[in-house]
Amino acid sequence: MNIVLIGFMGSGKSTIAKCLSALLGISYVEMDDLVYQITACRNMREVFAKGGELLLRETEIQIAKEYAAKKNLILSTGGGIVLNKIALDYFTEKGAKVIFLKAPFETIAQRLKNDDTRPLFKEIEEAKKAYNFRLPLYLGYADEIVDTACRSPGEIALNIQKRISNGL
Ligand code: S3P
């Protein structure tokens, strides 16, 4: 079974994927890193400069198609994967479990305040609008919702491990 971590930028997907991977002894995949490999870009700014958000979303579909067919992986997605139904459907159709890492916008804004790597988190009011728009999408796709505010990545990973051993 694959585990797909979803959540807004800065919700801790990558860090928690690493912790969970160590706990469960299975590999994790960082979807944004695969996007860089496929598009031959060094970072998200280059991806957006090369082909805009469309290039990111098309590449996500390509990755989802390939990786949904693999087994026992943790997939750390980009925060906008919920805008990409085709990509997420590849995973869910193959029985992947989707875990939403939930954090309040204020926590995220605090975490990302000095971050200049995310083209879609440049302007706080725009980011807040995107958060409010996406929240129901994250909730709609989630098999499990994990609150990440005020907990360490290790605690969150343990909590997810417990849910998995209880049959998720
Ligand atoms: C995006 C989130 C980013 C990255 C890209 C777009 C989004 O990933 O895929 O900048 O649309 O929310 P993280 O969630 O890992 O920051």
Side-chain angles (χ1 to χ4, degrees), residues 55-71:
L55 176 61
L56 167 63
R57 303 300 170 215
E58 283 175 351
T59 313
E60 283 177 332
I61 292 173
Q62 189 183 333
I63 295 165
K65 190 173 181 185
E66 181 182 343
Y67 280 76
K70 300 182 192 271
K71 290 198 171 65

Side-chain angles (χ1 to χ4, degrees), residues 20-143:
L20 196 57
S21 159
L23 265 181
L24 300 179
I26 62 175
S27 304
Y28 76 94
V29 172
E30 185 64 52
M31 279 186 73
D32 280 351
D33 287 346
L34 296 175
V35 170
Y36 304 147
Q37 279 174 30
I38 293 169
T39 58
C41 291
R42 280 170 301 181
N43 53 49
M44 209 40 86
R45 275 195 309 267
E46 283 190 12
V47 175
F48 274 63
K50 193 170 191 177
E53 189 174 346
L54 186 63
L55 176 61
L56 167 63
R57 303 300 170 215
E58 283 175 351
T59 313
E60 283 177 332
I61 292 173
Q62 189 183 333
I63 295 165
K65 190 173 181 185
E66 181 182 343
Y67 280 76
K70 300 182 192 271
K71 290 198 171 65
N72 289 332
L73 286 177
I74 298 163
L75 291 122
S76 174
T77 63
I81 195 82
V82 287
L83 306 176
N84 203 340
K85 184 173 172 355
I86 301 175
L88 264 182
D89 283 354
Y90 274 120
F91 290 122
T92 52
E93 278 162 12
K94 294 275 185 199
K97 292 292 174 192
V98 178
I99 300 182
F100 171 32
L101 303 179
K102 189 166 182 274
F105 183 76
E106 291 63 33
T107 308
I108 284 170
Q110 188 61 28
R111 285 181 192 157
L112 298 186
K113 68 173 188 250
N114 295 321
D115 182 293
D116 63 353
T117 64
R118 291 170 166 94
L120 298 182
F121 202 105
K122 280 196 286 212
E123 214 276 301
I124 198 85
E125 282 311 313
E126 287 303 309
K128 173 119 207 207
K129 270 192 221 152
Y131 178 94
N132 289 334
F133 178 79
R134 290 178 188 181
L135 188 57
L137 302 177
Y138 293 123
L139 292 168
Y141 278 112
D143 293 305

